Amino acid sequence: MKLSLLPAAAALAFCTAPAFAALPVGAAAPEFATQASLAGKAMPFDLKAALKKGPVVLYFYPAAFTSGCTVEAHDFAEATDDFKKLGATVIGMSADPIDVLNKFSTTECRNKFAVGSASAQVIADYDVKLASTARSNRTSYVIAPDGKVIFSYSAMDPSGHVTGTMDAVKQWKAAHKG
């Protein structure tokens, strides 16, 4: 009798455990600078400098040119102009090397936003490490100009990331008019 309860208990524990850890809303976003690519050209990206212009939509994804990451890049590319109208900067981050990101930024990000190379330290600092790999999971943040996380969302399904971040930027903008 006891043995038959073990699989059910294990399944219940698995279902109630959070899928990912992530920085909570209100946390200070760790500062970082990295090599990024926009429209196939390498460039520096510095979070502190970007925050001087407005909120930053920082999204982590596991690997360029995989199906979910490609879908997510297309979704962010379509929304980038709307983010810009709200004063927000979009940057995607993965553990991919810059030569891969140069290609990804043109073909999948459609030259609309930068993608940066996330070091192991940045992945750890943002609490987005994908279990048993050096890559990140799929987590999106919105960071206010004061450096605080105002939105945090983790899900391997790429749907919901653009909508959630857009809603958070709109709410921030409405609260900070004038």
Side-chain angles (χ1 to χ4, degrees), residues 78-92:
E78 288 182 22
T80 297
D81 289 340
D82 291 332
F83 280 115
K84 285 181 182 176
K85 287 176 189 170
L86 295 167
T89 299
V90 174
I91 183 162

Side-chain angles (χ1 to χ4, degrees), residues 33-110:
T34 191
Q35 186 83 25
S37 181
L38 177 62
K41 293 182 174 72
M43 58 173 263
F45 178 85
D46 183 282
L47 179 63
K48 190 174 182 178
L51 288 171
K52 289 179 181 177
K53 301 174 195 169
V56 171
V57 175
L58 173 66
Y59 84 91
F60 289 88
Y61 60 96
F65 298 108
T66 57
S67 60
C69 299
T70 296
V71 166
E72 187 175 29
H74 291 177
D75 290 349
F76 271 109
E78 288 182 22
T80 297
D81 289 340
D82 291 332
F83 280 115
K84 285 181 182 176
K85 287 176 189 170
L86 295 167
T89 299
V90 174
I91 183 162
M93 297 282 288
S94 74
D96 293 305
I98 196 66
D99 59 323
V100 172
L101 295 176
N102 284 337
K103 294 174 191 161
F104 193 68
S105 73
T106 59
T107 60
E108 309 309 333
C109 304
R110 301 175 179 159

Side-chain angles (χ1 to χ4, degrees), residues 9-25:
L12 180 60
F14 178 76
C15 291
T16 59
F20 303 113
L23 297 178
V25 169

Side-chain angles (χ1 to χ4, degrees), residues 9-10 12 39 51 54 61 70 79-80 95 116 122 124 130-131 135 145 150-151 157 162 164 169 177:
L12 180 60
L51 288 171
Y61 60 96
T70 296
T80 297
V122 170
L130 192 58
R135 297 203 168 269
I150 60 170
F151 177 81
D157 182 342
V162 171
V169 170
K177 285 189 176 187

Side-chain angles (χ1 to χ4, degrees), residues 172-178:
W172 181 88
K173 183 73 172 177
H176 294 86
K177 285 189 176 187

